[in-house]
Amino acid sequence: MEPTRRTARIAGVFYLILILSGMFSLLYVPSELIVWDNPAKTVENIKTSENLFRLGILSGLVCFTCFIFLPLTLYKLFQEVNKNHAVLMVVLALVSVPISYVSITYQIDVLTLINDSETLKAFTLDELYAKVMLLLKSSNNGDLVAHIFWGLWLFPFGYLVYQSGFLPKFLGIMLMLGCFGYLIDFLGYFLCESYGETLLATIAGLPSAIGEIGICLWLLTIGIKVAKVPQGK
């Protein structure tokens, strides 16, 4: 395979790992273990399913580590399309990574809190529940802030896909719309506690889901037509 086609495949692999690990750590594990209005049940769930909670942490680390290598790989793919936009794509993506790592640290702190006997002696049961929920909410808040950059990087990425000539323009449009979907989600969750239950929350996430899953599968299965790569601008 030509170098750029091989780069596309590698980017597709990173994207697939990111999507699967992100769905597991950010969606599945919290839905199984965390009951936001029931701290006692949440602590009980984490204690009885600690391995699942730990797998969620590991999966999150894999996800956010891939989010370092994915944009760098995509940069190699798109630098001849528009170098400035490719650099912007990388910067906006990488800004989110340390925020996400801090969010993971709060989850690790939960394990320390519920497993360290000396720490447990310092809190009553109600204080323990409150502390665990505070750490989980801090982790969730970190992910919410990271939403800003999970969205922003999609705009230059989508623009590059649209302009490339070797990837479907439709996916580029979906990625750019996905940028606004993430920003809407951030504002919605920040300003309205019940936002997650609204129709807007479902609609806002559709473009990014279509764009990101679509581009991942396209890179993996179809790749790119090297002959159509435009000259750098």
Side-chain angles (χ1 to χ4, degrees):
M1 289 189 294
E2 296 88 343
T4 48
R5 184 166 291 141
R6 183 169 58 248
T7 301
R9 304 293 190 196
I10 294 171
V13 171
F14 279 132
Y15 225 138
L16 181 63
I17 296 172
L18 184 147
I19 290 172
L20 294 178
S21 58
M23 291 176 64
F24 183 77
S25 62
L26 296 172
L27 298 177
Y28 177 73
V29 174
S31 70
E32 290 293 306
L33 301 182
I34 301 176
V35 184
W36 292 109
D37 58 354
N38 193 334
K41 181 64 175 176
T42 298
V43 172
E44 179 186 350
N45 287 345
I46 295 174
K47 285 184 175 180
T48 56
S49 302
E50 186 174 321
N51 287 337
L52 177 61
F53 190 72
R54 290 181 181 274
L55 282 175
I57 292 173
L58 290 175
S59 182
L61 290 172
V62 170
C63 174
F64 302 133
T65 301
C66 279
F67 206 35
I68 296 173
F69 295 105
L70 171 61
L72 293 175
T73 306
L74 290 172
Y75 174 81
K76 293 177 62 178
L77 193 64
F78 290 114
Q79 60 180 331
E80 296 301 321
V81 177
N82 188 308
K83 189 171 184 179
N84 290 335
H85 284 83
V87 170
L88 180 62
M89 173 189 68
V90 172
V91 171
L92 290 173
L94 293 183
V95 167
S96 74
V97 176
I99 300 172
S100 300
Y101 280 149
V102 171
S103 297
I104 291 287
T105 302
Y106 288 126
Q107 297 178 34
I108 298 173
D109 288 343
V110 169
L111 289 175
T112 301
L113 185 61
I114 66 176
N115 287 319
D116 186 84
S117 58
E118 293 301 318
T119 302
L120 288 174
K121 292 177 182 178
F123 300 102
T124 65
L125 201 55
D126 287 339
E127 289 173 339
L128 173 66
Y129 293 157
K131 184 67 174 177
V132 167
M133 296 309 294
L134 178 61
L135 290 170
L136 292 174
K137 288 177 180 178
S138 295
S139 177
N140 194 60
N141 290 339
D143 290 337
L144 183 60
V145 173
H147 260 69
I148 298 172
F149 299 99
W150 294 347
L152 289 177
W153 91 289
L154 290 179
F155 196 87
F157 178 26
Y159 175 82
L160 291 166
V161 170
Y162 185 86
Q163 292 290 329
S164 66
F166 53 76
L167 290 168
K169 291 183 181 293
F170 170 75
L171 293 178
I173 293 171
M174 288 296 102
L175 290 168
M176 287 187 281
L177 291 176
C179 165
F180 298 104
Y182 270 106
L183 296 179
I184 290 171
D185 275 348
F186 167 76
L187 291 173
Y189 283 112
F190 183 70
L191 297 175
C192 179
E193 291 185 3
S194 61
Y195 170 76
E197 302 170 5
T198 65
L199 179 61
L200 179 59
T202 301
I203 296 174
L206 286 178
S208 61
I210 294 171
E212 293 195 85
I213 294 174
I215 198 70
C216 169
L217 295 178
W218 189 281
L219 291 171
L220 280 173
T221 60
I222 299 176
I224 62 172
K225 296 180 180 180
V226 178
K228 291 187 177 181
V229 177
Q231 296 299 313
K233 296 179 181 180

